[in-house]
Amino acid sequence: MPWITSWKSGGTALWMLWSGWQAVALLLFPITQLLASREQRKPVEKKPFRLPWVKRCATFAVSYLQRRGVHSDIIRRCMQLGLFYESRYNNEAVCVFVGRDDTGTGRFACVRGIAGDLKKDISGSDKRFSFCYPPDQPGSRHLAVFEAPIDALSHATLQKLEGWQWNGYRLSLGGTSPVALVAFLERHPEITRVALYLDNDLAGRVNARKIKLLLKSDQRFSKIRVSVNPPRSGKDYNEKLQRTLQTIREEKHASRQKQAAVSI
């Protein structure tokens, strides 16, 4: 029948046309995908780093660190060195911890909420210059490494309380990435001992071992003596400090009660 022949020939033509479009689409798809991926890979413009504004009175920030057990002398020294101050971030009172380069220029800052749970690095911060509490005496070849600034200050407070004979740098990684540590060792080739005081949790223990292997496998740092020292009590060194302070308070209270009983 003529209409059947016409339909068959027309259907064949349409099928060939459709198949042709499929072929073109299949050929073009990788190109469009590549173009889209190139668009996505455009470098994001990095924001310039600016330190948060400094609040003239740091009452709340100082009180916060004191409640966490950090010694007043250590807080005072941090403020004198420009490593710590109070500010506001998104209308919230915050502690600001600053990392500086060898010229004293601020290159990194992180904020910690005083009343809330805010923890954030300031945009444009260079992790290679993370917060570092310097040694009391120059010329130290020792470095202690922590996850957070408050742990570094807690360790310094514990030394003050317990009278350790130790002089060294206390570096915060701002987490568990080794970026700040590697950059610090590149700038300080005199370092001969590194103690990793990361948190006593799974992430802290695993990453401490990874960092130790990283340093041992790098020829530049292979001669450095590296130890892994998580806190024996508490999750981190601030928890360890607070438990130590609680023990001291309990011992003082027991001693006063004993003295009172003797005097009766």
Side-chain angles (χ1 to χ4, degrees), residues 14-25:
L14 286 171
W15 176 254
M16 291 177 65
L17 180 62
W18 173 247
S19 300
W21 276 113
Q22 281 184 314
V24 170

Side-chain angles (χ1 to χ4, degrees), residues 60-72 75 84 95 97 112-119 148-155 157-158 161 199 235-246 249:
F60 295 122
V62 170
S63 177
Y64 171 78
L65 285 190
Q66 288 175 335
R67 289 197 307 273
R68 298 292 294 269
V70 179
H71 198 282
S72 297
I75 298 172
F84 167 76
C95 299
F97 297 95
R112 176 70 169 87
I114 292 172
D117 296 325
L118 175 65
K119 294 179 183 178
I150 196 165
D151 292 323
L153 301 182
S154 298
H155 185 265
T157 299
L158 283 165
L161 289 173
D199 291 0
K235 172 183 167 290
D236 53 40
Y237 271 84
N238 184 247
E239 279 194 15
K240 177 179 171 63
L241 169 62
Q242 294 194 56
R243 291 185 181 188
T244 300
L245 290 171
Q246 180 62 29
R249 285 192 292 267

Side-chain angles (χ1 to χ4, degrees), residues 96-240:
V96 182
F97 297 95
V98 182
R100 299 186 179 276
D101 61 19
D102 294 338
T103 67
T105 303
R107 301 284 297 276
F108 171 88
C110 61
V111 295
R112 176 70 169 87
I114 292 172
D117 296 325
L118 175 65
K119 294 179 183 178
K120 183 178 177 61
D121 290 353
I122 296 299
S123 297
S125 288
D126 189 339
K127 205 80 167 183
R128 296 174 301 168
F129 298 92
S130 192
F131 174 90
C132 183
Y133 186 75
D136 294 328
Q137 303 296 328
S140 174
R141 296 186 177 186
H142 295 176
L143 172 65
V145 181
F146 305 85
E147 291 190 23
I150 196 165
D151 292 323
L153 301 182
S154 298
H155 185 265
T157 299
L158 283 165
Q159 180 185 359
K160 197 172 186 69
L161 289 173
E162 299 176 356
W164 309 336
Q165 296 300 313
W166 188 84
N167 183 58
Y169 298 91
R170 292 177 170 93
L171 175 70
S172 164
L173 298 179
T176 57
S177 166
V179 170
L181 173 58
V182 171
F184 184 92
L185 293 176
E186 288 173 343
R187 297 193 303 272
H188 294 270
E190 74 277 10
I191 296 297
T192 59
R193 295 190 67 174
V194 171
L196 300 172
Y197 292 99
L198 274 58
D199 291 0
N200 190 14
D201 56 15
L202 181 60
R205 292 191 298 269
V206 168
N207 284 288
R209 289 195 293 269
K210 286 182 178 179
I211 291 172
K212 183 175 181 178
L213 290 173
L214 173 69
L215 296 182
K216 289 300 179 185
S217 64
D218 191 319
Q219 287 188 342
R220 297 172 298 171
F221 315 129
S222 59
K223 293 183 179 180
I224 295 176
R225 184 177 174 183
V226 183
S227 61
V228 176
N229 304 310
R232 294 183 180 180
S233 65
K235 172 183 167 290
D236 53 40
Y237 271 84
N238 184 247
E239 279 194 15
K240 177 179 171 63

Side-chain angles (χ1 to χ4, degrees), residues 86-98:
E86 184 177 329
S87 185
R88 294 191 73 82
Y89 185 87
N90 289 343
N91 207 33
E92 180 178 345
V94 294
C95 299
V96 182
F97 297 95
V98 182

